[in-house]
Every structure is written in C-alpha cells, then in structure tokens.
Amino acid sequence: MRYFEVRKPRIEIIPMIDIMLFLLVFFIMMAMNMIPTSGLIGHLPSSSTSQALPPPKIMIEIHQDGGLVVDQQAMSLEGLRAKLRATATDKTIVSIAGSASASLQQLTAVMDICHQNGINKIGLATQNVQ
C-alpha cells in the first residue's frame, strides 16, 4: 500500500544552483562585452604587467615637448606619415615610447597615422614597476 502514501514535497535545489551559476556566468560575460576594450591608458611609461615583445621594425619616441624621433631621426608628423607610407606593410611592427608627461593627443595622432598606413601591430614601451 505504499503506492497510496502521501510523501512530503521537496524542493530540489541542485538544478536551481545550476541555473543560478549559468545566469551568473552569462551576466558576467555580457558585462565584460559592454566595457569598451579600445582606448588609451593615461600612464604610459610604467606598468606592472609589461611583457617583452619582439624587436620592432620601427621605433617611435614621443618627447615631452611633442617632438618625434623615428629610428634615431627627428621627424614631424608629416615626415612620419611619409616614412610609413613608403616602408610599412601589414606585418610591420611599431613600438611607441614616450616620457611620462608626453601628450596623449600626440600619442593618438601617431597611432592614427600608423593605422592609416595599415599597421595594426603597435606596442607601447613601458617600464616594469614591481
């Protein structure tokens, strides 16, 4: 006669935990996609997570006064544009180094010139801070 016995109802929480974890992961992934990944950081010369990169083909230095030095030659933005137009390929690697007080606008202008000439491999030189 066990068939007719009334059992006390139970709430199964294991499937509920699975669903809650799925929702948590879903919302975390969506939140990460909502944060813009493009942009520039303000403190260029120091980083605690800097990595060694292969040697660049072109090294660009941005000085505090806004002057550019490309491969140990002083150059203007127009000179940089002409040099990159003549020598850049899609496999060209560019590293940009600057002083701590270099203008972020100047960095953006240099990166724009690189992108306009088809260079997508750009590294920012930093000091490793521990």
Side-chain angles (χ1 to χ4, degrees):
M1 292 283 233
R2 284 187 96 161
Y3 183 72
F4 293 110
E5 288 179 17
V6 176
R7 288 193 269 174
K8 183 178 177 183
R10 291 180 9 183
I11 297 176
E12 296 291 333
I13 79 185
I14 301 297
M16 185 173 68
I17 291 172
D18 290 343
I19 291 172
M20 295 306 289
L21 285 175
F22 175 76
L23 288 173
L24 178 67
V25 169
F26 175 76
F27 285 119
I28 288 173
M29 295 301 287
M30 290 307 294
M32 288 175 63
N33 285 337
M34 293 170 71
I35 298 171
T37 57
S38 62
L40 304 171
I41 56 176
H43 296 36
L44 294 176
S46 62
S47 174
S48 62
T49 60
S50 61
Q51 299 175 354
L53 296 174
K57 185 173 181 183
I58 298 174
M59 181 70 176
I60 302 172
E61 299 174 32
I62 302 174
H63 292 284
Q64 182 177 1
D65 61 351
L68 295 178
V69 175
V70 181
D71 295 334
Q72 285 109 25
Q73 295 177 346
M75 203 171 286
S76 66
L77 285 175
E78 292 305 318
L80 174 65
R81 181 174 283 123
K83 178 177 176 73
L84 292 181
R85 190 175 300 130
T87 62
T89 65
D90 59 343
K91 297 189 188 260
T92 301
I93 300 173
V94 171
S95 285
I96 302 172
S99 67
S101 56
S103 168
L104 191 60
Q105 181 61 46
Q106 188 74 2
L107 173 69
T108 307
V110 169
M111 290 179 76
D112 283 344
I113 290 172
C114 291
H115 283 293
Q116 289 168 358
N117 288 294
I119 299 173
N120 294 322
K121 296 176 183 176
I122 300 172
L124 297 177
T126 62
Q127 289 180 343
N128 193 3
V129 176
Q130 311 228 353

